[in-house]
Amino acid sequence: MKFYSHSRELDDGTIQGSKLLKTHIKQVGDKALNRLYPNLNFSITEKEIRELILVITDLHDLGKYTSYFQNYLLKKEPIDYTLKQHAHFGSYVAFNLLLDSDNKQALIALYIILLHHNKLIALYDIAGKIDLNAQKVFENQLNDIRPILTNIEQEIGITKIESFLRFPSAKKIRKLFLKWIRKNQNIEDYFLINYLFSLLIEADKLDASNTPLYSLKYMNNDWVDKRFGTTKRSEVDLNNLSNDELRNYCRFEAINQLNDENILEYKLFTLTAPTGIGKTMTALDFALKLKSKLNERRGNNAQIIYALPFINIIEQAINEYEETLLEEEIRILGHYQFADVFGIQDDNDEDGYQQKIMELDSWQSDVVITSFVQFFETLISNKNKLLKKFNHFAGSIIILDEVQTLRLDYMPLIGAALYYLSKFLDARIIMMTATKPKIFDLAEQEILSEENEKPIVKELLTNHNRIFSLFERTTIFPIIYNTDRNDTVHNFVYNIFKEKWEFDKSCIIVCNTVNRSIEIFNKINEYLKSKFYLNPVYYLSTNILPSIRKKRITKIKNLIKQGEIPILVSTQVVEAGVDLDFDMGFRDLGPIDSIIQVAGRINRSNDPDRKNSPLYIVDFDDCQKVYGKLTTIQTKRALNNKKNIPESNYLEVIEKYFNDISDKKSFHTSRKYFESMKSLKYDSQNPNEDYSISSFRIIEESNHYRPVFIEIDNYSQLLRKKYLQKIKNEISKEEFDMKYEMDFQQHIITVPKYCTNDLYPINEYEENILVVPLEDLNKYYDLKTGFKRDQKSESFMIL
């Protein structure tokens, strides 16, 4: 008799088995072992891990041998949807098989197999799933499978399997789990379980979709040199270097660190350099040469993972990497919200859509360029879909860009998680920023010191203080703290802006909230009109459709290049990776690192004629509402009693900003999430209140917002039509995702609920997404400033 793991429907509607179960089990084991990284640093040995993986993969689908599952798979009556479940059966056998030799490994195998089609739950909740109903299901399945045990033993290679076919004691399991968690909990267990779980579910899903396991290609370590020239140390005075020469110098200094004979012993790196100094290519150059050295000395062909905070700079980074990594066979994968599964990968007509999705979701590539959401919510997660790629962290070289955008209260947690990622999974982490947030210092202060751990971090640009001192592009003027509360916006425009701005100076104004930015945009236009100034004024925020936002940034950039003098009113969307170059600016009071990022959009080209271009700090009284009390206090403390801060002193201000954080209550959230990781509290009845792993989000979500699809033209009407056809199964999900999904998402914005009371869902089948139809566009959407909001009220969320 043949047993199948998967089936397919033929053109005539009949169902047939598509893969033999014994083949699937073997191939899952082979794929998992192929992905097993050899230089892990767990208490359990590589040999023990390998043997544990084989037990888990051999038994994960044992329950599919029952006639109940085979009938369900091949659509043969009778079909029993309770008895066809298969994960429990194999998990019990694995537990019994390993129990005598190692209690902990037995529990891990039970846990991973039992949940391999689901999200991870708290360990101590597993016993609750092994109840009387589960026992009845097991006994029926056991009676069904008993006559074919000899066949099973031959197919999966486990002898005397009948001796392990016992229903386990829930009481005993609960006791073992509680002993483990209460007496022997260790953060190592979190990384071990997630790693093993990831190996299984990635291998299982790759094999189920017939997606090949990608083999990393050899990558030349001189590709950055070929594009930008070989680095060399400059013997001349740094003060006399041009921008390009200074970029070359900084890249040389970073690459020169590879000559340290102990360089492979370091796993945590920082690259601290001013904006516009070429950190992206410097980090890539270092990563390529480090990858080559790791391969040469340890046989580790590392995957490169590059994570950034914002979608607009992810797309920019993909273009930069594609221009630099010259070999056509090198696969660069962009994995983020609007990634086009067909457009960014090698187009192979033989590959099915599901294979493309699997390649994307499981990072089957040499280089991954992804978002902070994907990266950090895989690192700290219980979700099956995300954890597929967790094992790719092992032995990888990870580049984290613009890390100053991370939440301040999360920094100790992030630092600790990255430290243990490097410790247990042998990852190398390069953290680059212009503002040097003390992520690892805070991690040690708040978490790691209690674990008797001390991170050792290597700075790649050791003389970064000297580099910062060379720049005089901008100066921050923290002198305008308070505007008139009675008419904040009018006072700012007709007093502060009028006094500081000159009509021949391009200008950027960054606000903390959308409502405030729209008010200022309208008031600026009013003021310019009253003075007969012709400067073009543009608006930018997440209140505008993503498709328009991208075009607007390009238009402003081109105008500046052409010598035009625009004014841009924006929210925080311009603070990282947006290559715009203004003559001056204003910034609402906010985090010090955000203020310095805005300064990076001013005199970006280091024009000596615009030396010390000003950025004025204005307090619209929105900081605490958006960023919280801690940030507001720390920023004011760092700026206090300073008439101006030249760019050469920015690092000093940042140091003070982070050094002055001493209130341990500020990092309560970080410590609570770390405790959940350590105690394996993956989920709970009240995840947000209990800080269980399932509630972790790198960007705070708000239930005060709704997604709204905007019909702005005939094409967007077509997109809506195709979306509804997908919902009604008039077109396939694969067709919609391939042809329309990316553009559809580009027409969605998130809007405060209070603005959406008279909007309707996109249709009766989809109540989550609201819609503004084309005929009502002028009522709800302004082509310049986006969705029309009630100015009297605003929910606060960083946008």
Side-chain angles (χ1 to χ4, degrees), residues 3-8 18-33 35 57 60-61 64 116-117 198-214 354-355 358-359 362 364 388:
F3 301 93
Y4 297 99
S5 61
H6 299 87
S7 63
R8 65 169 175 264
S18 60
K19 179 169 287 191
L20 290 173
L21 182 52
K22 65 178 181 180
T23 302
H24 172 66
I25 289 172
K26 183 180 186 307
Q27 289 178 346
V28 169
D30 290 345
K31 284 181 169 66
L33 290 176
R35 280 292 312 159
T57 55
H60 81 285
D61 274 354
K64 288 186 176 182
H116 77 273
H117 287 299
S198 177
L199 286 176
L200 172 63
I201 62 176
E202 181 192 40
D204 192 23
K205 289 177 171 62
L206 286 174
D207 193 68
S209 60
N210 293 316
T211 305
L213 190 69
Y214 186 76
Q354 291 302 323
Q355 291 177 336
M358 275 303 303
E359 288 175 357
S362 59
Q364 303 297 310
K388 282 200 302 287

Side-chain angles (χ1 to χ4, degrees), residues 23 57 115 165 216 286 300 335 348-349 429 510 572 594 596 677 685 741:
T23 302
T57 55
L115 298 175
L165 288 169
L216 296 175
F286 181 83
N300 173 19
H335 191 206
N348 185 338
D349 292 337
I429 298 164
V510 177
Q572 302 92 321
S594 293
I596 292 175
M677 293 171 68
Q685 293 297 316
E741 168 71 12

Side-chain angles (χ1 to χ4, degrees), residues 338-372:
F338 301 133
D340 183 351
V341 70
F342 285 86
I344 59 175
Q345 301 183 47
D346 298 334
D347 189 13
N348 185 338
D349 292 337
E350 296 180 1
D351 287 343
Y353 173 77
Q354 291 302 323
Q355 291 177 336
K356 291 286 188 179
I357 288 292
M358 275 303 303
E359 288 175 357
L360 187 70
D361 282 350
S362 59
W363 290 357
Q364 303 297 310
S365 65
D366 299 287
V367 177
V368 178
I369 301 178
T370 190
S371 66
F372 276 2

Side-chain angles (χ1 to χ4, degrees), residues 135-147:
Q135 184 171 2
K136 291 177 182 177
V137 170
F138 172 78
E139 289 171 352
N140 278 284
Q141 292 176 331
L142 177 58
N143 290 331
D144 179 80
I145 212 171
R146 190 169 266 128

Side-chain angles (χ1 to χ4, degrees), residues 177-191:
F177 273 135
L178 287 175
K179 181 181 178 182
W180 174 4
I181 294 166
R182 288 178 179 174
K183 294 185 178 181
N184 302 307
Q185 65 175 239
N186 190 314
I187 188 64
E188 176 182 329
D189 296 331
Y190 172 84
F191 285 88

Side-chain angles (χ1 to χ4, degrees), residues 247-283:
R247 287 192 192 99
N248 185 284
Y249 170 82
C250 290
R251 187 156 65 90
F252 173 86
E253 289 298 312
I255 300 307
N256 193 49
Q257 299 297 323
L258 291 162
N259 292 324
D260 183 337
E261 62 180 14
N262 296 316
I263 191 65
L264 298 187
E265 304 306 315
Y266 290 97
K267 297 182 181 180
L268 303 175
F269 303 91
T270 54
L271 175 57
T272 309
T275 57
I277 205 68
K279 290 189 293 294
T280 301
M281 286 297 110
T282 296

